[in-house]
Amino acid sequence: MDKPIVYVTRTLPEEQLSPLKEAADIEMWEKEDEPCPRDVLLEKAKTADGLLTMLSDRIDEELLKEALHLKVVANLAVGYDNIDVEAANKHRVICCNTPDVLTESTADLTFALLMAAARRIIEASDWIKQGRWTGWGPYFLAGADIHHKTIGIVGMGSIGRAVARRAKGFSMNVLYHNRRQNSEAEEELGAVWVSFDELLEQSDFVVCLTPLTKETKHMFNRSAFKKMKHTAFFINVSRGQVVDEGDLYDALVEKEIAGAGLDVFAEEPISKKHPLANLPQVTALPHIGSASKETREAMMRLCAENIALVLGEKQPKTEI
Ligand code: GLV
Ligand code: GLV
């Protein structure tokens, strides 16, 4: 019997896909550092039994209705707003993501971005690289303190808890907002649940880790930014569309908030002409939350294992 076909939408190292080697014939999008075009993905999906996808690939009704052999989609990300899970359920396609393996790395990046924004690290480094450092000054590149301040985490899942643990090491006061209270975060870390408005009003650093859903889209809008302190920073490591970017821009320019650290944008990639990228009080990163070599490889292996399990008619490790 022919082996099942798995299509991988990015060039990944074969050794990271070894769990799939026996189970399937693997085909990959061959151009390194270029995403698989939509028409290629649609065509490949028609014959594939499994897909290993990136967060930039849209898995929707248009794709699923023609994917008659498809049994499993494994997304190389914890977020899965690129997948219409309801449509996949209807077509009996199992969807998997990569939680847990990326928690600590994403928390590291979140805290690094918070620190970079507060202490103006990238701006300071550029000062030297652009040959502009002429001497010491009392307010030269003076930023904001982090230690003993209040961090407010919106979306207290496992990444939120890992960020809260880091915040505790900096003697920060930890608030959080979540639909459900997180007793682990409260007992282990002394995090305090507050309403969304209270979090905005009291936090020095508002950190967004909530998944993008219909309910969270544009939850950070002008009215939210107006409730924040003028000295506060907004840090986003979830999805760009959780924020109304025009409203964030206005809040920054009108100094309603002090600055922002952004790892994600509504439409990615952004160009250097993007209005937010041109504000000195914005630290902008190109969606690198989980981007350590070790973690990305763990994510690849988890995707491969999940696909192999489903193709072997077993329960995947991390089904959505
Ligand atoms: C990255 O953004 C992810 O969801 O893993
Ligand atoms: C964090 O937001 C998570 O779901 O782990």
Side-chain angles (χ1 to χ4, degrees), residues 55 75-82 97-99 102 106 159 237-239 263-264 268 287-291 296 299:
L55 52 81
N75 203 41
L76 191 83
V78 65
Y80 49 85
D81 48 279
N82 58 313
N97 65 342
T98 60
L102 51 59
T106 307
I159 300 172
V237 188
S238 81
R239 286 293 180 270
D263 184 45
V264 287
E268 297 176 357
H287 204 148
I288 56 168
S290 62
R296 284 288 163 84
M299 291 162 67

Coordinates of all heavy atoms in Angstrom, one line a residue, residues 55 75-82 97-99 102 106 159 237-239 263-264 268 287-291 296 299, ligand 1:
L55 N 2.1 29.6 10.8 CA 1.0 30.5 11.2 C 0.6 31.4 10.1 O -0.4 32.0 10.1 CB 1.4 31.2 12.5 CG 2.7 32.0 12.5 CD1 2.6 33.3 11.9 CD2 3.1 32.2 14.0
N75 N 0.1 22.6 13.2 CA 0.5 24.0 13.0 C 1.7 24.3 13.8 O 1.7 24.0 15.1 CB -0.7 24.9 13.4 CG -0.6 26.3 12.8 OD1 -0.4 26.5 11.6 ND2 -1.0 27.3 13.6
L76 N 2.8 24.8 13.2 CA 4.1 25.1 13.9 C 3.9 26.4 14.8 O 4.6 27.4 14.5 CB 5.2 25.2 12.9 CG 6.6 25.2 13.5 CD1 7.1 23.7 13.8 CD2 7.6 25.8 12.6
A77 N 3.1 26.4 15.7 CA 2.8 27.6 16.6 C 1.8 27.2 17.7 O 1.1 26.2 17.5 CB 2.1 28.7 15.7
V78 N 1.8 27.9 18.7 CA 0.8 27.7 19.8 C -0.5 28.4 19.3 O -1.6 27.8 19.5 CB 1.2 28.2 21.2 CG1 1.4 29.7 21.3 CG2 0.2 27.7 22.2
G79 N -0.4 29.5 18.7 CA -1.6 30.3 18.2 C -2.2 29.6 17.0 O -1.4 29.0 16.2
Y80 N -3.5 29.6 16.8 CA -4.0 28.9 15.6 C -5.2 29.7 15.0 O -6.1 29.1 14.5 CB -4.4 27.4 16.0 CG -5.3 27.3 17.2 CD1 -6.7 27.4 17.2 CD2 -4.7 27.0 18.5 CE1 -7.4 27.3 18.3 CE2 -5.5 26.9 19.6 CZ -6.8 27.0 19.5 OH -7.6 26.9 20.7
D81 N -5.1 31.0 15.1 CA -6.1 31.8 14.5 C -6.1 31.8 13.0 O -7.0 32.2 12.3 CB -6.0 33.3 15.0 CG -4.5 33.7 14.9 OD1 -3.7 33.4 15.8 OD2 -4.2 34.4 13.9
N82 N -5.0 31.1 12.4 CA -5.0 30.9 11.0 C -5.8 29.7 10.5 O -5.9 29.4 9.3 CB -3.5 30.7 10.5 CG -2.8 29.6 11.2 OD1 -2.9 29.5 12.4 ND2 -2.1 28.8 10.5
N97 N -1.5 22.0 17.6 CA -0.6 23.1 17.8 C 0.6 22.7 18.6 O 0.8 21.5 18.9 CB -1.4 24.3 18.3 CG -1.8 24.1 19.8 OD1 -1.9 23.0 20.2 ND2 -2.2 25.2 20.4
T98 N 1.4 23.7 19.0 CA 2.6 23.3 19.7 C 2.7 24.1 21.1 O 3.6 24.9 21.3 CB 3.9 23.6 18.9 OG1 3.9 25.0 18.6 CG2 4.0 22.8 17.6
P99 N 1.8 23.8 22.0 CA 1.9 24.5 23.3 C 3.0 23.9 24.1 O 3.6 22.9 23.6 CB 0.5 24.2 23.9 CG 0.1 22.9 23.3 CD 0.7 22.9 21.9
L102 N 7.1 25.7 23.8 CA 7.6 27.0 23.5 C 7.4 28.0 24.7 O 7.7 29.2 24.6 CB 7.0 27.6 22.2 CG 5.5 27.5 22.0 CD1 4.7 28.3 23.1 CD2 5.1 28.0 20.6
T106 N 9.2 31.7 24.9 CA 8.3 32.9 24.6 C 8.3 33.8 25.7 O 8.3 35.0 25.6 CB 6.9 32.4 24.1 OG1 7.1 31.4 23.1 CG2 6.1 33.5 23.6
I159 N 2.1 30.6 29.2 CA 3.2 31.6 28.9 C 3.0 32.8 29.9 O 4.0 33.3 30.4 CB 3.0 32.1 27.5 CG1 3.2 31.0 26.5 CG2 4.1 33.2 27.2 CD1 2.9 31.3 25.0
V237 N 2.9 40.3 22.5 CA 3.6 39.1 22.0 C 2.5 38.1 21.6 O 2.8 36.9 21.5 CB 4.6 38.5 23.1 CG1 5.4 37.4 22.5 CG2 5.5 39.6 23.6
S238 N 1.3 38.5 21.4 CA 0.2 37.6 21.0 C -0.1 37.6 19.5 O 0.6 36.9 18.7 CB -1.0 37.7 21.9 OG -1.8 38.8 21.4
R239 N -1.0 38.5 19.1 CA -1.3 38.6 17.7 C -1.6 40.1 17.5 O -2.2 40.8 18.3 CB -2.5 37.8 17.2 CG -2.2 36.3 17.1 CD -1.3 36.0 16.0 NE -1.1 34.5 15.9 CZ -0.1 33.8 16.5 NH1 0.7 34.5 17.3 NH2 0.0 32.5 16.3
D263 N 6.0 42.6 19.2 CA 6.6 41.4 18.4 C 5.7 41.0 17.3 O 6.0 40.1 16.5 CB 6.8 40.3 19.4 CG 7.6 39.1 18.7 OD1 8.5 39.3 18.0 OD2 7.1 37.9 18.9
V264 N 4.5 41.5 17.3 CA 3.4 41.1 16.3 C 2.7 42.3 15.7 O 2.5 43.3 16.4 CB 2.5 40.1 17.0 CG1 3.1 38.7 17.3 CG2 1.9 40.7 18.3
E268 N 1.5 40.9 8.7 CA 3.0 40.6 8.7 C 3.5 40.1 7.4 O 2.7 39.3 6.7 CB 3.3 39.6 9.8 CG 2.9 40.2 11.2 CD 3.1 39.2 12.4 OE1 3.5 38.1 12.1 OE2 2.9 39.6 13.5
H287 N 8.2 39.2 14.9 CA 7.5 38.0 15.4 C 8.5 36.8 15.7 O 8.5 35.8 15.0 CB 6.5 37.5 14.3 CG 5.4 36.7 14.9 ND1 4.1 36.6 14.4 CD2 5.4 35.8 15.9 CE1 3.4 35.8 15.1 NE2 4.1 35.2 16.0
I288 N 9.2 37.0 16.8 CA 10.3 36.0 17.1 C 10.0 35.4 18.5 O 11.0 34.9 19.1 CB 11.7 36.7 17.1 CG1 11.8 37.9 18.0 CG2 12.1 37.0 15.6 CD1 13.3 38.4 18.2
G289 N 8.8 35.5 19.0 CA 8.5 35.0 20.3 C 9.1 33.7 20.7 O 9.7 33.5 21.7
S290 N 8.9 32.7 19.9 CA 9.5 31.3 20.2 C 10.8 31.0 19.5 O 11.2 29.9 19.5 CB 8.4 30.3 19.9 OG 8.1 30.3 18.5
A291 N 11.4 32.1 18.9 CA 12.5 31.8 18.0 C 13.8 31.5 18.6 O 14.8 32.3 18.5 CB 12.6 32.9 16.9
R296 N 12.4 26.0 18.4 CA 11.8 25.8 17.1 C 12.0 24.3 16.6 O 11.1 23.7 16.0 CB 12.4 26.7 16.0 CG 11.9 28.1 16.1 CD 10.5 28.3 15.7 NE 9.9 29.5 16.1 CZ 10.0 30.7 15.5 NH1 10.7 30.8 14.5 NH2 9.4 31.7 16.0
M299 N 9.4 22.3 18.4 CA 8.1 22.5 17.8 C 8.0 21.6 16.5 O 6.9 21.0 16.3 CB 7.9 24.0 17.5 CG 7.8 24.8 18.7 SD 8.1 26.6 18.4 CE 6.7 27.0 17.3
Ligands
GLV1 C1 3.6 32.2 17.6 O1 3.2 33.3 17.5 C2 2.9 31.1 18.1 O2 1.7 31.2 18.2 O3 3.5 30.1 18.3

